[in-house]
């Protein structure tokens, strides 16, 4: 729910989870059903996976270019994960927030922590966890994108990722995709109505009550 008559500053929604937990599928459903979202497209130094499109899924860059962006302060957050580097271009995000657009992030805990330090008032963070370790491993195997060696590395990384759950505003266990999406939508409805995000509330109240005099 959004108060359409009141100017609102956008929020940054972070979805983080161990790889294979389903956050990308959750993000896609939110984007399909909510036209107020602007998707934050990260830069990465890793190679594209089958079907991924440059500029849509990620901006695929060489390490030298990535390091230049970090040095110039062009990234809102940046981190290294499983030997590859990732980061979020700053300007498109800030522009979207000013226009009242919400920005969706699919990033890991290192990036979430950096954004929390830089812009806590604009942030809503959700940790998505799997129902069990065995279920997580089965999901990684069944999606058929990684070698056995990479899967084992991701499972080890998952333990570290899950251990940071206490740094997030909300934690949702993804037992069922539809139920998890509904939970995220409920969180969004409440966060959008927070008084401090409705920057036009004062003007709205003044105008509303002036008309009754």
């Amino acid at each position: 729910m959004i108060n359409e008559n009141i100017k609102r500053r956008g929020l940054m929604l972070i979805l983080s989870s161990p790889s294979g937990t389903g956050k990308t599928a959750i993000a896609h459903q939110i984007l399909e059903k909510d036209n107020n979202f602007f998707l934050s497209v990260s830069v990465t130094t890793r190679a594209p996976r089958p079907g991924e499109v440059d500029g849509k899924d990620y901006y695929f860059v060489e390490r030298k270019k990535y390091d230049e962006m970090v040095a110039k302060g062009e990234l809102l957050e940046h981190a290294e994960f499983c030997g590859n580097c990732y980061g979020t271009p700053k300007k498109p995000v800030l522009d979207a927030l000013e226009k009242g657009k919400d920005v969706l992030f699919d990033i890991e805990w290192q990036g979430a922590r950096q954004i929390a330090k830089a812009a806590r008032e604009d942030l809503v963070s959700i940790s998505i966890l799997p129902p069990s370790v065995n279920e997580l491993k089965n999901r990684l195997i069944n999606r058929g994108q990684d070698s056995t060696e990479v899967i084992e590395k991701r499972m080890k990384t998952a333990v570290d990722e899950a251990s940071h759950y206490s740094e997030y505003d909300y934690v949702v266990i993804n037992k069922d995709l539809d139920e998890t999406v509904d939970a995220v939508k409920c969180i969004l409805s409440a966060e959008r109505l927070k008084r401090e995000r409705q920057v036009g509330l004062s003007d709205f109240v003044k105008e509303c009550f002036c008309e009754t005099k």
Side-chain angles (χ1 to χ4, degrees):
M1 176 184 293
I2 300 175
N3 289 330
E4 295 182 355
N5 294 329
I6 301 174
K7 182 180 179 181
R8 180 179 69 88
R9 180 172 174 80
L11 59 81
M12 295 186 288
L13 175 65
I14 288 180
L15 298 178
S16 294
S17 75
S19 180
T21 303
K23 67 179 181 296
T24 301
I26 296 166
H28 284 167
Q29 288 212 26
I30 294 296
L31 289 168
E32 289 175 1
K33 298 176 181 179
D34 192 326
N35 59 13
N36 197 64
F37 265 108
F38 164 80
L39 177 63
S40 171
V41 180
S42 299
V43 296
T44 181
T45 59
R46 76 161 171 78
R49 290 174 180 160
E52 288 184 330
V53 179
D54 184 48
K56 179 182 179 182
D57 298 290
Y58 287 95
Y59 294 110
F60 297 98
V61 299
E62 298 293 330
R63 181 60 186 262
K64 181 179 179 181
K65 173 64 176 178
Y66 176 87
D67 290 340
E68 289 176 355
M69 296 178 76
V70 172
K72 292 178 180 178
E74 296 177 358
L75 300 180
L76 185 62
E77 57 79 28
H78 56 90
E80 185 168 344
F81 177 71
C82 287
N84 297 303
C85 297
Y86 300 81
T88 301
K90 183 187 297 184
K91 189 177 185 303
V93 173
L94 298 182
D95 289 346
L97 294 179
E98 286 294 330
K99 295 175 182 177
K101 285 286 190 180
D102 299 318
V103 186
L104 180 61
F105 294 82
D106 176 355
I107 58 177
E108 308 304 326
W109 70 266
Q110 299 100 320
R113 179 182 286 180
Q114 290 180 47
I115 291 179
K117 290 181 179 180
R120 189 64 186 86
E121 66 279 4
D122 290 322
L123 178 63
V124 178
S125 60
I126 304 176
S127 174
I128 308 293
L129 297 179
S132 70
V133 172
N134 287 337
E135 176 66 19
L136 177 60
K137 187 169 185 177
N138 287 336
R139 290 178 184 178
L140 288 173
I141 293 171
N142 291 336
R143 74 182 186 180
Q145 293 182 344
D146 301 309
S147 66
T148 300
E149 182 181 355
V150 171
I151 288 174
E152 291 303 319
K153 182 183 293 185
R154 290 190 183 280
M155 289 301 299
K156 292 179 180 178
T157 304
V159 176
D160 181 50
E161 178 72 36
S163 71
H164 292 274
Y165 74 91
S166 62
E167 299 180 28
Y168 290 78
D169 299 320
Y170 303 90
V171 177
V172 180
I173 308 300
N174 185 22
K175 295 180 180 179
D176 178 85
L177 180 60
D178 290 337
E179 291 180 1
T180 300
V181 171
D182 286 342
V184 173
K185 288 168 65 178
C186 287
I187 291 168
L188 277 171
S189 293
E191 289 288 344
R192 284 168 166 170
L193 291 173
K194 278 191 172 180
R195 174 181 49 78
E196 56 269 28
R197 289 203 171 95
Q198 299 187 72
V199 295
L201 188 58
S202 177
D203 291 338
F204 173 80
V205 171
K206 289 178 182 178
E207 181 179 349
C208 181
F209 281 92
C210 282
E211 290 177 352
T212 64
K213 292 182 180 180

